[in-house]
Amino acid sequence: MPHCQNCGFKWSWKDVMKLSLKSKRECQNCHKIQYISAKSNFWTTFLTSMAFLLPMNFLRTYYEISWPWIFLAIPIYIPLVSLLMPFFYKLSNTQKRFGKTVE
């Protein structure tokens, strides 16, 4: 689980899920606003999309699994990834978009 950049407080899974939905959240310990770091946001998005696309393309090509089966896998895959993503987040004191600080 991620830690606050100001005080080192370890966030709970529930708080990190709320943070991922709202993009900013106040630390319960020091009351400073925390954001998901830009690097962390990029890598979790990249890894979750690649972790789905690569195996599905492999299965589609070599085992000739039909598209309906692949589309049925999506409702299983998305909640599973959503449950695991908070473990990979890192927090930041500033919100950055495309390398620039956003206020």
Side-chain angles (χ1 to χ4, degrees), residues 4 6 11-28 30-36 91-92:
C4 175
N6 291 313
W11 286 42
S12 69
W13 181 87
K14 182 180 171 183
D15 289 332
V16 178
M17 284 300 291
K18 289 178 184 177
L19 172 69
S20 67
L21 294 174
K22 293 184 179 182
S23 78
K24 67 179 180 178
R25 187 143 173 93
E26 188 177 278
C27 176
Q28 292 180 353
C30 66
H31 304 291
K32 300 281 184 175
I33 298 293
Q34 295 288 292
Y35 304 93
I36 298 172
L91 299 179
S92 174

Side-chain angles (χ1 to χ4, degrees), residues 56-101:
M56 288 304 141
N57 283 333
F58 176 79
L59 293 173
R60 175 87 176 118
T61 304
Y62 295 107
Y63 293 107
E64 297 177 5
I65 292 178
S66 63
W67 283 110
W69 286 108
I70 291 173
F71 286 126
L72 284 175
I74 292 172
I76 296 168
Y77 180 76
I78 296 209
L80 180 65
V81 167
S82 297
L83 292 172
L84 295 176
M85 266 200 309
F87 292 101
F88 300 105
Y89 283 144
K90 301 237 184 275
L91 299 179
S92 174
N93 292 329
T94 59
Q95 183 178 20
K96 291 189 177 184
R97 300 263 184 208
F98 306 110
K100 296 183 180 181
T101 304

Side-chain angles (χ1 to χ4, degrees), residues 28-45:
Q28 292 180 353
N29 193 36
C30 66
H31 304 291
K32 300 281 184 175
I33 298 293
Q34 295 288 292
Y35 304 93
I36 298 172
S37 72
K39 186 177 181 180
S40 177
N41 205 6
F42 169 78
W43 281 110
T44 54
T45 303

